[in-house]
Amino acid sequence: MTSTILCTCARSIAPYLRTEIEQLGYTVTKEHASGIEIIGTFDDCLRLNLHLRTALRVLWRMDAFTADTADQMYRSVRNIAWEDWIPVDGYVSVVSSVQTPTIDNTMYANMRCKDAIVDRMRMKLHQRPDSGPRTDRTVVFLYWHNEQCMVYIDTSGQPLSERGYRKHPGKAPLRETLAAAVLISTRWNVKGHVVNPMCGSGTLGIEAALMLRNIAPALKRENFGFMHVVPFDRARWDTLRSEALAAIAPHTEYSIICTDHDRRVLDQARENARAAGVEEDIDFRVCDFRETPIPSTEERDGGADMVIMNPEYGLRLGDVEELKLTYAEIGNFFKQQCQGYLGYLFTGNLPLTKVIGLRASKRIVFWTADLECRLVEFELYGGSRRSD
Ligand SMILES: C[S@@+](CC[C@H](N)C(=O)[O-])C[C@H]1O[C@@H](n2cnc3c(N)ncnc32)[C@H](O)[C@@H]1O
């Protein structure tokens, strides 16, 4: 049996998610601002959950219909064969995105949708699952915009950015899925050294290590929405995991260097890396960003050595004045110490990108929540190549 599978992502990430999905061998049927659709089997949902680095959720479509009122929506949801999907002794929660004229309270739509599900199951099986707000068991997602309704099982449950390795949140960490998209958007191409001064909780270095060693991003996760539906085949999941484990490269031929001047932060980054299984692949050092060792660079066929930095953005005016100096110093560091590398700066403070004092070869737009960010690329050619 096949259905529409919608892989969702944060704003601006869809093109990278599309590439990932195509690389896994699927044909994209639709691209949305924050999601990619394919047609596939439930088994494909397991694969996608395991391998996608930039997706937030993998949604399995149960039905699509039109509804103007809550009663109409209730009736259509009650027609779905939930008894084939939700364990009768299980637990279900309904989450939604509702923007339709007759509903001004999303909670009401969720409640009617949940009622339709449990009423159906009581009718068919004379028993009903528990229900509530927890999203760590069966999760149903109701999308209802104008009269268009789509009902999905959220096969991820909790977002895929929760990889299971973040032991410490850090001060202003990049979301794992965003860090992966940023890395995919560069010309590094998983072929070359990755130098990450100001690494904070280590997200960029850890995600780079996972890519370089071909480690599936969700291998450390123990719970997914798909585990809480009737068709879930534990043996099949074990096989997919074993295949992914067998595909891991024992080490990476490239250097990954993560530095930060805050010892406590760096210890936390190391612990996160240990939890992700890549501590050995990353050279962690406590130092000012200007002291970061830069390995000697060489021509990479289809890739590049890169230095990537995510400095603070400065939320208050005073901070920004101080940061101007830091950004100017980053420019000097790129120019003087990173020759032969591609330099990347990721920031949510667009005016500060001008202070770098280098000509950008590319500016890529990203969003973190409601903040417009830029990944700015600098080609740091010229001069003699440096070795450490
Ligand atoms: C925005 S955070 C980086 C967040 C990181 N991308 C993550 O995902 O956790 C910026 C980091 O730069 C570090 N930092 C600030 N000034 C520095 C300097 N002069 N040298 C080295 N690290 C610095 C801070 O300690 C902080 O951890």
Side-chain angles (χ1 to χ4, degrees):
M1 187 184 47
T2 62
S3 184
T4 295
I5 298 172
L6 171 63
C7 303
T8 69
C9 60
R11 190 174 170 183
S12 70
I13 287 181
Y16 313 109
L17 175 57
R18 182 190 184 109
T19 306
E20 277 201 281
I21 289 173
E22 286 175 343
Q23 281 172 354
L24 285 173
Y26 298 103
T27 304
V28 169
T29 49
K30 232 185 228 174
E31 179 169 335
H32 306 272
S34 46
I36 300 289
E37 277 184 27
I38 63 164
I39 304 292
T41 61
F42 193 72
D43 189 68
D44 290 320
C45 293
L46 273 55
R47 249 190 108 214
L48 292 161
N49 270 289
L50 182 58
H51 290 285
L52 290 178
R53 298 181 193 278
T54 62
L56 285 175
R57 299 172 183 285
V58 178
L59 306 174
W60 169 260
R61 189 180 290 170
M62 296 294 291
D63 204 2
F65 49 86
T66 56
D68 289 319
T69 65
D71 283 347
Q72 285 174 8
M73 182 272 290
Y74 170 91
R75 279 195 293 275
S76 293
V77 174
R78 206 183 48 186
N79 279 337
I80 299 171
W82 294 107
E83 63 279 8
D84 296 340
W85 289 87
I86 302 178
V88 74
D89 55 351
Y91 177 101
V92 62
S93 70
V94 176
V95 294
S96 66
S97 166
V98 178
Q99 279 173 37
T100 193
T102 56
I103 303 289
D104 51 17
N105 181 352
T106 305
M107 298 301 284
Y108 178 66
N110 293 0
M111 191 195 73
R112 293 300 309 272
C113 181
K114 182 266 299 169
D115 285 348
I117 294 168
V118 299
D119 288 352
R120 163 86 189 199
M121 291 190 61
R122 210 189 274 117
M123 189 168 75
K124 292 285 173 184
L125 305 173
H126 312 292
Q127 224 184 318
R128 53 154 288 183
D130 280 342
S131 59
R134 276 171 42 203
T135 53
D136 57 353
R137 305 281 293 276
T138 316
V139 181
V140 171
F141 175 64
L142 168 70
Y143 173 94
W144 188 5
H145 284 209
N146 297 318
E147 73 292 332
Q148 192 62 51
C149 258
M150 289 167 198
V151 183
Y152 297 90
I153 283 180
D154 181 344
T155 69
S156 308
Q158 268 129 3
L160 293 174
S161 50
E162 290 173 25
R163 311 260 203 246
Y165 68 67
R166 191 177 287 285
K167 300 298 163 201
H168 300 279
K171 257 190 287 181
L174 291 179
R175 208 173 190 188
E176 293 78 348
T177 39
L178 173 64
V182 164
L183 292 169
I184 291 172
S185 77
T186 65
R187 287 195 275 149
W188 164 58
N189 244 346
V190 203
K191 274 186 207 159
H193 302 316
V194 178
V195 181
N196 178 212
M198 297 190 168
C199 70
S201 63
T203 324
L204 284 164
I206 293 169
E207 289 295 322
L210 294 176
M211 288 184 200
L212 281 166
R213 290 195 44 215
N214 197 30
I215 300 178
L219 264 176
K220 295 276 169 188
R221 249 181 72 143
E222 284 171 4
N223 188 32
F224 295 84
F226 62 70
M227 292 177 167
H228 307 283
V229 293
V230 174
F232 173 55
D233 178 350
R234 167 69 61 183
R236 177 65 188 141
W237 175 240
D238 289 343
T239 303
L240 285 171
R241 284 192 85 251
S242 306
E243 286 169 4
L245 284 166
I248 294 176
H251 57 83
T252 161
E253 59 182 292
Y254 303 108
S255 301
I256 309 169
I257 299 178
C258 286
T259 69
D260 200 288
H261 66 177
D262 186 331
R263 176 172 297 280
R264 200 182 49 93
V265 163
L266 200 84
D267 284 345
Q268 295 181 345
R270 194 182 275 116
E271 268 186 59
N272 289 338
R274 188 177 310 143
V278 295
E279 187 192 7
E280 300 299 316
D281 303 302
I282 305 178
D283 181 354
F284 286 105
R285 295 193 193 188
V286 180
C287 64
D288 183 85
F289 73 89
R290 285 157 286 211
E291 307 301 322
T292 302
I294 309 293
S296 55
T297 176
E298 52 186 84
E299 284 300 324
R300 306 278 179 210
D301 191 14
D305 296 325
M306 75 168 166
V307 50
I308 183 160
M309 297 184 66
N310 170 217
E312 275 126 11
Y313 314 151
L315 298 173
R316 290 184 308 252
L317 204 62
D319 297 343
V320 172
E321 281 311 307
E322 208 172 290
L323 278 177
K324 270 188 187 161
L325 240 108
T326 308
Y327 276 65
E329 281 295 311
I330 290 174
N332 291 336
F333 168 70
F334 275 177
K335 196 159 42 190
Q336 291 159 11
Q337 287 168 256
C338 308
Q339 284 167 12
Y341 271 67
L342 279 176
Y344 287 95
L345 178 84
F346 184 91
T347 182
N349 189 322
L350 308 191
L352 282 179
T353 62
K354 309 272 191 259
V355 183
I356 293 280
L358 290 169
R359 203 160 58 88
S361 42
K362 213 184 209 176
R363 290 171 180 272
I364 306 174
V365 178
F366 283 97
W367 290 83
T368 57
D370 283 336
L371 183 66
E372 187 178 343
C373 298
R374 285 286 183 284
L375 177 70
V376 190
E377 180 191 83
F378 303 98
E379 288 174 348
L380 309 172
Y381 298 140
S384 58
R385 294 199 159 163
R386 186 197 142 96
S387 55
D388 51 345

